């Protein structure tokens, strides 16, 4: 029997209209499609996500297991625009018994989805969050990349592109990153990609008790601080002027006959104890210009100050307790001492506040804007804006636009990845995704994002973690809401072949999923894949799947023996098993879960007959990781009319 169809026909994977049920979202990244299905064995995260979703359904949750297909902004879209390349993936997912609500399945090549992508883009563009400007990007052949995506080993060029400006939302973004349930090394990676660097913030106090904050990315160079210059156009300078210099300052402000003027005031350098004079000047744009001997020799000369050398033989001098230390050691020392003495605090500062969302690809999600008399105009009334099979732009409104020049590039995959979690939740409910002003949408988002498990490859942190966080942080800030409360991140490691090579056509090591399913069955594949910790590399060896097929056959043979009326000897071992599996589920450790199941079969089920109730409990437990086998045994041997998938979870 095709159990997958039975589950779908019984609406097992459908979202329920039950406001009393606790909602749980399981999100894994959209499938990057080609024309041949999962040839690279990249179905690991989807099997894990499906198992997780089944677990939450057994707990009585209303579960949204998201699923979608990426075609836009990828070269695979160019390979064949006349063919639905999602078909082999859908077929293989269903044969692997990966359940998803069909009304939520998203194809980024679908007109409805493209329309919503363009709607979201316009919302952000009209709020001036998306901007059209010149930006430095990395270019490789006919591709452009944001520096956040790639290293610097490419040509850096200036292009007229669209960028997402997230400066206003940086605090929320960084707070979310800090809260992520991933190792610190990955958090630091994300911070680094945002241009983060550790800064020591030092409060300098003037002679008349006025505070000035000094941000130092290289605090070990504090001994080189020689002067502070303040700009009268930026701040009120009165509190910085010594009483005996008031007349000179007034004359300076009126006539501006000097470049710099000493205020008669100073701060004490907290490292060296030396006086650091304060000057005023209109020459520098910033409110405070901190002058260091290591970088401002010309200004020091103009101020008439003596140059202070703080380095000799690659070690610090003229720097008090840092003397004799290397630059790196001195940095650690001053941060440690100043933090302990509460002279300063360490904070993160960010260089990067915007991200490229333009692609040079012609095919993909077109920008919903055009140029009219060299000015950008929005095309709200003409969406969806798509390319037909002949490469000609189609519009929903047939009225022609005079004097319009369409932009000949598309929205990149970073932007698409950022909005995919939103699309999966909302796209079948709303025609207009106004993410900023629609209270109904915000409420629905909050409900489904309140509890979410995100399963993504650890090599895709920028696209699948950072970008959604940026988009959701924008909505949170604009609407003054909290969307992400309880969320878990599971990072999936790579799937390689048994020799440790990447699985791809070039290496001649691709797999044929349909052949594997035909030979071993979907459950054996599921057991094999889940038996390796999702956070570790999976060295895929099809021959090893046979071991799990043998295990499932053994379970089937055990159940063919029939059931006893009573067997109290099995009650306690089964009780122990349920407790062990409960701990495994609390840790979401399916690899250990499967090991405990196999050990129980070998140590107890093979040696003991069981009652029908005990058998049903075991099948229910088994169904989490082998759903098809559990249903088959139930139907053929136990003859329960109720599906295993609908039974009460025995833990």
């Amino acid at each position: 029997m095709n159990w997958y169809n039975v589950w779908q026909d019984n609406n097992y994977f459908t979202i329920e209209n039950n406001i009393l049920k606790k909602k749980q979202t399981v999100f894994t990244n959209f499938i990057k499609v080609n024309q041949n299905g999962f040839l690279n064995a990249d179905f690991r995260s989807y099997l894990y996500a499906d198992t997780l979703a089944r677990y939450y359904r057994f707990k009585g949750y209303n579960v949204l297991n998201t699923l979608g297909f990426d075609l836009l902004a990828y070269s695979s879209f160019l390979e064949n625009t006349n063919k639905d390349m999602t078909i082999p993936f859908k077929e293989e997912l269903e044969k692997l018994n990966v359940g998803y609500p069909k009304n939520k399945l998203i194809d980024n090549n679908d007109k409805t989805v493209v329309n919503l992508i363009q709607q979201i883009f316009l919302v952000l563009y009209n709020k001036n969050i998306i901007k059209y400007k010149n930006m430095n990007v990395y270019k490789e052949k006919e591709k452009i990349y944001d520096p956040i995506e790639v290293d610097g080993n490419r040509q850096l060029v200036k292009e007229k592109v669209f960028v997402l400006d997230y400066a206003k939302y940086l605090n929320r973004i960084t707070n979310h990153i800090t809260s992520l349930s991933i190792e610190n090394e990955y958090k630091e990676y994300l911070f680094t990609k945002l241009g983060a660097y550790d800064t020591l913030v030092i409060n300098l106090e003037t002679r008349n008790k006025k505070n000035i904050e000094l941000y130092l990315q290289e605090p070990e160079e504090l001994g080189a601080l020689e002067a502070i210059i303040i700009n009268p156009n930026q701040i009120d300078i009165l509190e910085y002027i010594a009483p005996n210099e008031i007349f000179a300052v007034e004359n300076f402000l009126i006539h501006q006959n000097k470049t710099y003027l000493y205020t008669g005031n100073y701060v004490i350098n907290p490292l060296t104890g030396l006086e650091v004079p304060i000057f005023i000047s209109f020459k520098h744009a910033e409110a405070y210009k901190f002058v260091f001997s290591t970088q401002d020799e010309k200004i020091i000369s103009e101020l008439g100050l003596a140059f202070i050398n703080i380095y000799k033989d690659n070690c610090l001098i003229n720097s008090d307790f840092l003397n004799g230390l290397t630059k790196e050691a001195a940095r650690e020392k001053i941060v440690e001492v100043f933090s302990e003495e509460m002279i300063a605090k360490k904070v993160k500062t960010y260089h990067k506040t915007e991200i490229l969302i333009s692609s040079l690809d012609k095919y993909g999600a077109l920008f919903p804007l055009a140029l009219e008399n060299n000015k950008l105009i929005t095309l709200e009334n003409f969406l969806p804006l798509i390319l037909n099979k002949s490469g000609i732009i189609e519009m929903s409104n047939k009225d022609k636009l005079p004097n319009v020049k369409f932009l000949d590039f598309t929205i990149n995959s970073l932007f698409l990845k950022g909005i995919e979690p939103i699309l999966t939740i909302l796209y079948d409910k709303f025609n207009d995704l106004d993410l900023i002003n629609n209270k109904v949408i915000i409420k629905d988002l909050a409900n489904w994002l309140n509890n979410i498990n995100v399963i993504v490859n650890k090599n895709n942190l920028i696209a699948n973690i950072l970008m959604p966080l940026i988009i959701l942080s924008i909505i949170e800030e604009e609407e003054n809401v909290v969307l992400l409360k309880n969320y878990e991140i599971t990072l999936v490691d790579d799937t390689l072949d048994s020799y440790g090579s990447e699985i791809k056509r070039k290496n001649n090591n691709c797999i044929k999923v349909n052949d594997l399913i035909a030979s071993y069955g979907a459950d054996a594949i599921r057991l094999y894949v889940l038996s390796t910790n999702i956070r570790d590399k999976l060295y895929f060896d099809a021959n090893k799947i046979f071991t799990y097929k043998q295990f499932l056959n053994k379970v089937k043979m055990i159940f063919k023996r029939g059931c006893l009326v009573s067997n109290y000897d099995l009650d306690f071992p089964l009780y122990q098993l349920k407790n062990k599996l409960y701990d495994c589920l609390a840790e979401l450790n399916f690899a250990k879960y499967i090991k405990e199941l196999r050990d129980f079969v070998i140590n107890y089920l093979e040696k003991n007959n069981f009652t029908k109730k005990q058998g049903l409990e075991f099948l229910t437990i088994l169904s989490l990781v082998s759903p098809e086998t559990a249903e088959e045994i139930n139907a053929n041997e136990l003859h329960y009319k109720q599906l295993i998938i609908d039974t009460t979870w025995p833990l």
Side-chain angles (χ1 to χ4, degrees):
M1 182 179 291
N2 188 325
W3 290 107
Y4 185 85
N5 287 342
V6 173
W7 297 326
Q8 283 286 8
D9 291 343
N10 283 272
N11 299 316
Y12 178 68
F13 306 122
T14 304
I15 306 304
E16 299 180 41
N17 294 319
N18 187 336
I19 62 173
L20 298 179
K21 268 196 169 185
K22 188 174 181 180
K23 290 181 171 64
Q24 180 69 46
T25 301
V26 179
F27 179 83
T28 189
N29 50 287
F30 280 19
I31 297 166
K32 182 180 177 181
V33 303
N34 52 53
Q35 300 181 64
N36 303 289
F38 290 108
L39 287 178
N40 61 351
D42 192 23
F43 46 71
R44 191 181 186 191
S45 61
Y46 308 105
L47 289 177
Y48 182 90
D50 178 71
T51 307
L52 194 59
R54 290 174 185 271
Y55 165 57
Y56 285 122
R57 289 193 190 99
F58 267 124
K59 291 180 70 176
Y61 288 22
N62 190 7
V63 181
L64 170 57
N65 184 18
T66 64
L67 199 62
F69 299 100
D70 270 335
L71 287 123
L72 299 171
Y74 286 120
S75 57
S76 58
F77 180 78
L78 299 173
E79 292 174 5
N80 194 335
T81 57
N82 300 316
K83 182 178 178 181
D84 186 353
M85 290 186 288
T86 67
I87 290 175
F89 290 91
K90 291 176 186 174
E91 291 176 347
E92 290 177 4
L93 284 168
E94 292 179 6
K95 288 179 181 178
L96 289 167
N97 295 315
V98 174
Y100 56 88
K102 290 191 174 180
N103 66 320
K104 291 285 189 179
L105 183 67
I106 294 181
D107 179 349
N108 274 350
N109 194 30
D110 181 81
K111 287 184 180 181
T112 302
V113 178
V114 174
N115 189 354
L116 295 175
I117 291 169
Q118 292 170 338
Q119 291 279 2
I120 294 172
F121 178 93
L122 283 179
V123 170
L124 299 177
Y125 176 77
N126 292 332
K127 294 281 293 184
N128 201 35
I129 298 166
I130 289 177
K131 299 175 179 178
Y132 190 49
K133 59 178 288 187
N134 285 313
M135 180 185 179
N136 284 326
V137 296
Y138 286 114
K139 190 168 186 177
E140 185 179 56
K141 297 180 180 178
E142 293 306 312
K143 300 280 187 182
I144 56 171
Y145 305 90
D146 189 281
I148 203 171
E149 293 182 89
V150 296
D151 56 35
N153 299 325
R154 290 171 172 82
Q155 180 186 5
L156 195 63
V157 297
K158 192 174 285 290
E159 292 273 352
K160 188 79 170 181
V161 294
F162 287 100
V163 298
L164 183 71
D165 184 349
Y166 56 82
K168 180 180 175 183
Y169 316 102
L170 197 50
N171 283 341
R172 282 188 185 265
I173 295 166
T174 55
N175 287 340
H176 279 315
I177 293 173
T178 302
S179 302
L180 290 176
S181 56
I182 57 177
E183 290 85 351
N184 285 333
E185 63 180 290
Y186 298 116
K187 294 180 187 179
E188 287 303 316
Y189 170 77
L190 292 176
F191 285 131
T192 301
K193 286 296 184 177
L194 288 175
Y197 56 86
D198 288 330
T199 301
L200 199 65
V201 182
I202 303 172
N203 276 319
L204 302 173
E205 190 175 75
T206 67
R207 185 176 60 173
N208 59 338
K209 308 300 182 183
K210 178 72 176 177
N211 283 331
I212 300 175
E213 279 193 335
L214 171 60
Y215 287 73
L216 281 175
Q217 187 178 352
E218 298 176 318
E220 70 279 2
E221 296 197 344
L222 183 59
L225 179 63
E226 297 211 43
I228 301 172
I229 301 169
I230 57 178
N231 186 337
N233 287 333
Q234 299 289 334
I235 55 175
D236 183 1
I237 65 170
L238 184 62
E239 296 182 46
Y240 297 92
I241 311 302
N244 59 319
E245 298 292 339
I246 290 291
F247 177 77
V249 170
E250 289 178 347
N251 186 59
F252 173 84
L253 296 176
I254 294 171
H255 300 289
Q256 297 186 27
N257 53 355
K258 293 183 179 180
T259 305
Y260 300 101
L261 182 73
Y262 177 51
T263 63
N265 205 348
Y266 57 84
V267 300
I268 299 297
N269 188 319
L271 177 65
T272 63
L274 299 176
E275 294 181 2
V276 178
I278 300 174
F279 294 81
I280 59 174
S281 176
F282 293 100
K283 185 175 181 179
H284 307 283
E286 57 265 56
Y288 299 97
K289 168 70 176 175
F290 297 95
V291 180
F292 289 85
S293 58
T294 50
Q295 58 194 34
D296 301 306
E297 189 171 351
K298 181 180 178 183
I299 298 175
I300 291 168
S301 176
E302 292 173 345
L303 295 174
L305 301 174
F307 183 81
I308 301 174
N309 186 15
I310 63 166
Y311 288 111
K312 183 178 181 181
D313 299 329
N314 296 319
C315 291
L316 273 290
I317 59 174
N318 297 321
S319 299
D320 202 72
F321 62 87
L322 302 182
N323 288 341
L325 297 177
T326 64
K327 184 180 180 73
E328 292 73 22
R331 182 173 301 177
E332 291 183 13
K333 186 68 173 179
I334 190 171
V335 169
E336 175 191 350
V337 172
F338 275 27
S339 298
E340 286 180 357
E341 298 295 328
M342 292 187 291
I343 298 171
K345 60 182 178 180
K346 189 172 74 168
V347 300
K348 285 191 181 297
T349 309
Y350 298 87
H351 286 303
K352 189 170 176 58
T353 57
E354 56 191 22
I355 192 165
L356 172 73
I357 57 172
S358 285
S359 167
L360 294 185
D361 287 333
K362 181 179 180 181
Y363 287 88
L366 300 174
F367 288 105
L369 301 108
L371 287 169
E372 185 177 46
N373 298 324
N374 292 323
K375 290 185 179 180
L376 278 178
I377 60 168
T378 60
L379 302 174
E380 288 101 329
N381 299 323
F382 299 88
L383 304 183
L385 202 65
I386 61 171
L387 284 176
N388 64 20
K389 294 175 182 178
S390 301
I392 299 172
I393 294 177
E394 290 183 352
M395 296 174 287
S396 60
N397 189 332
K398 294 183 180 179
D399 295 338
K400 291 184 178 179
L401 291 170
N403 304 318
V404 160
K405 180 180 183 298
F406 290 101
L407 301 171
D408 57 355
F409 48 96
T410 55
I411 300 172
N412 73 4
S413 59
L414 282 180
F415 185 77
L416 299 181
K417 292 292 186 185
I419 63 176
E420 280 170 2
I422 295 169
L423 289 177
T424 57
I425 293 170
L426 299 175
Y427 100 99
D428 63 325
K429 293 186 176 182
F430 302 96
N431 293 322
D432 178 9
L433 285 185
D434 188 343
L435 298 178
I436 307 301
N437 302 311
N438 192 322
K439 300 297 181 185
V440 177
I441 283 180
I442 299 302
K443 183 178 179 181
D444 210 46
L445 264 180
N447 285 337
W448 282 108
L449 292 174
N450 185 39
N451 289 286
I452 182 169
N453 284 76
V454 180
I455 301 104
V456 297
N457 189 286
K458 69 179 186 180
N459 296 318
N460 297 328
L461 294 181
I462 300 302
N464 295 316
I465 297 295
L466 182 59
M467 289 307 300
L469 283 182
I470 289 175
I471 299 296
L472 292 170
S473 295
I474 290 171
I475 301 171
E476 286 182 330
E477 185 72 24
E478 292 293 328
E479 285 295 309
N480 194 26
V481 296
V482 177
L483 296 175
L484 289 171
K485 296 177 183 176
N486 304 308
Y487 57 102
E488 292 292 327
I489 307 289
T490 300
L491 298 182
V492 182
D493 210 328
D494 294 328
T495 299
L496 308 171
D497 70 10
S498 57
Y499 298 100
S501 300
E502 187 179 351
I503 302 175
K504 56 185 180 181
R505 291 180 187 176
K506 181 180 178 181
N507 293 336
N508 196 30
N509 58 359
C510 290
I511 67 165
K512 295 181 179 179
V513 177
N514 286 323
D515 289 352
L516 288 179
I517 296 171
S519 298
Y520 304 110
D523 281 355
I525 296 171
R526 183 183 290 252
L527 285 173
Y528 169 62
V529 171
L530 294 177
S531 291
T532 299
N533 192 306
I534 197 79
R535 297 168 184 83
D536 298 330
K537 285 182 172 60
L538 172 61
Y539 296 94
F540 197 87
D541 185 350
N543 295 323
K544 291 183 179 179
I545 304 175
F546 181 68
T547 304
Y548 295 92
K549 181 180 179 179
Q550 285 182 310
F551 166 72
L552 293 174
N553 286 337
K554 181 183 293 184
V555 173
K556 291 175 185 177
M557 293 303 298
I558 289 171
F559 271 83
K560 285 184 181 294
R561 296 189 319 223
C563 302
L564 298 175
V565 175
S566 64
N567 184 358
Y568 298 113
D569 292 339
L570 200 59
D571 280 342
F572 185 65
L574 187 58
Y575 170 78
Q576 286 182 310
L577 173 67
K578 290 188 288 187
N579 282 338
K580 290 176 182 177
L581 297 186
Y582 181 86
D583 293 338
C584 294
L585 293 175
E587 301 168 1
L588 301 181
N589 189 338
F590 297 130
K592 187 177 179 183
Y593 186 100
I594 292 169
K595 181 182 183 304
E596 295 292 349
L597 274 178
R598 296 181 74 186
D599 289 347
F600 181 79
V601 169
I602 294 169
N603 296 328
Y604 295 100
L605 280 194
E606 274 194 304
K607 302 173 183 177
N608 295 275
N609 284 348
F610 44 84
T611 67
K612 197 171 183 180
K613 179 179 180 296
Q614 290 167 340
L616 183 62
E617 285 197 352
F618 178 80
L619 288 183
T620 305
I621 292 167
L622 177 68
S623 72
L624 189 65
V625 289
S626 298
E628 192 176 271
T629 302
E631 296 287 7
E632 182 184 334
I633 294 174
N634 176 52
N636 295 337
E637 311 303 336
L638 296 188
H639 306 293
Y640 269 101
K641 292 183 179 180
Q642 186 179 9
L643 295 175
I644 288 290
I645 210 165
D646 285 326
T647 56
T648 303
W649 190 245
L651 299 184

